[in-house]
């Protein structure tokens, strides 16, 4: 008597969508990491360069600011001088792109070595609800390093102006309609590049 052929319709299958989403997340993290490493190399080599290297793009200086970190300490632009940092605009009650953006930041935090001296700054566009305590709980959910990844809140008008006038992102009339861009800021506080959080192509 012949053995029955296995029913292939009942074979377990891997969840394709989560796998593709994870691959996309890692790809964006890899591209951002590569860009930052290349940028750091450019900064080091251009200091002794005779002028043969083409200058990098400069999207303008980040305006001065003083905001409150999740630790309740005051943080100003001056505190970030001398460091390369990646900025984004999120809010903790966001049901849209914010969780994905924060996961990508968390992946970059793991990928970039401490020696690279790269820091991360997340500005909330909903400061009326995102208190330091609320930001602490959100940051802890992403294992955010307190020394490398800052979460900043402050007056709504200040953050709206910083987002739109400084980073050219989002809408001043409705800050919660925030940008999904990551901005790379150099050691002097100038924006050098933008990357879309869901698109690895350079903006």
């Amino acid at each position: 008597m012949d053995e029955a052929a296995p029913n292939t319709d009942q074979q377990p299958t891997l969840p394709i969508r989560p796998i593709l989403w994870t691959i996309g997340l890692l790809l964006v993290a890899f591209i951002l990491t590569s860009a930052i490493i290349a940028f750091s190399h450019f900064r080091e080599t251009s200091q002794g360069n005779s002028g043969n290297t083409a200058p990098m793009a400069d999207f303008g200086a980040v305006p001065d600011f003083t905001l409150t970190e999740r630790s309740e300490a005051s943080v100003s632009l001056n505190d970030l001088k001398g460091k390369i940092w990646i900025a984004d605009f999120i809010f903790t009650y966001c049901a849209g792109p914010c969780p994905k953006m924060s996961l990508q930041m968390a992946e970059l935090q793991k990928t970039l070595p401490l020696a690279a001296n790269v820091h991360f700054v997340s500005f909330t566009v909903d400061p009326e609800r995102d208190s330091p305590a609320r930001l602490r709980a959100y940051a802890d959910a992403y294992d955010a390093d307190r020394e490398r990844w800052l979460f900043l809140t402050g007056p709504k008008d200040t953050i709206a102006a910083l987002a739109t006038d400084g980073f050219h992102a989002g809408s001043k009339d409705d800050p919660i309609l925030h940008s999904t861009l990551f901005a790379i800021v150099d050691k002097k506080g100038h924006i050098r590049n933008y990357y879309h959080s869901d698109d690895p192509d350079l903006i």
Side-chain angles (χ1 to χ4, degrees):
M1 186 174 182
D2 294 336
E3 294 183 2
N7 185 354
T8 55
D9 293 337
Q10 297 180 355
Q11 295 299 308
T13 57
L14 293 174
I16 300 301
R17 183 170 295 178
I19 292 175
L20 293 177
W21 189 89
T22 301
I23 292 172
L25 174 64
L26 291 173
L27 178 61
V28 172
F30 172 76
I31 290 173
L32 274 170
T33 301
S34 299
I36 293 165
I37 291 172
F39 175 72
S40 299
H41 176 71
F42 170 84
R43 294 287 299 177
E44 291 172 359
T45 57
S46 62
Q47 290 176 354
N49 193 288
S50 60
N52 295 326
T53 303
M56 294 187 71
D58 189 335
F59 294 92
V62 176
D64 194 18
F65 63 82
T66 299
L67 296 170
T68 302
E69 213 272 324
R70 70 183 185 276
S71 63
E72 302 192 27
S74 292
V75 173
S76 69
L77 178 63
N78 194 55
D79 294 318
L80 292 163
K81 291 292 178 68
K83 304 168 184 174
I84 296 171
W85 49 288
I86 303 172
D88 69 352
F89 290 84
I90 53 94
F91 61 106
T92 65
Y93 291 90
C94 174
C98 301
K100 181 179 177 181
M101 293 169 68
S102 296
L103 279 173
Q104 289 167 341
M105 279 286 210
E107 188 63 33
L108 287 169
Q109 179 186 246
K110 293 177 185 176
T111 304
L112 289 166
L114 287 171
N117 197 28
V118 176
H119 291 247
F120 312 92
V121 182
S122 290
F123 299 92
T124 177
V125 294
D126 188 13
E128 293 174 344
R129 292 192 291 176
D130 283 343
S131 64
R134 174 73 186 180
L135 289 174
R136 278 198 301 275
Y138 184 86
D140 289 346
Y142 292 95
D143 293 323
D145 185 333
R146 293 175 181 269
E147 299 298 321
R148 298 182 70 197
W149 189 353
L150 305 177
F151 286 79
L152 302 181
T153 187
K156 188 174 182 178
D157 291 345
T158 300
I159 292 176
L162 181 64
T164 56
D165 299 336
F167 284 89
H168 314 292
S171 167
K172 187 177 292 187
D173 295 330
D174 190 355
I176 287 184
L177 295 176
H178 62 100
S179 170
T180 57
L181 296 176
F182 289 119
I184 300 178
V185 184
D186 71 12
K187 295 179 180 181
K188 294 183 178 180
H190 284 241
I191 301 167
R192 292 296 191 162
N193 230 329
Y194 289 99
Y195 282 88
H196 231 296
S197 62
D198 57 359
D199 185 347
D201 290 335
L202 183 64
I203 299 301

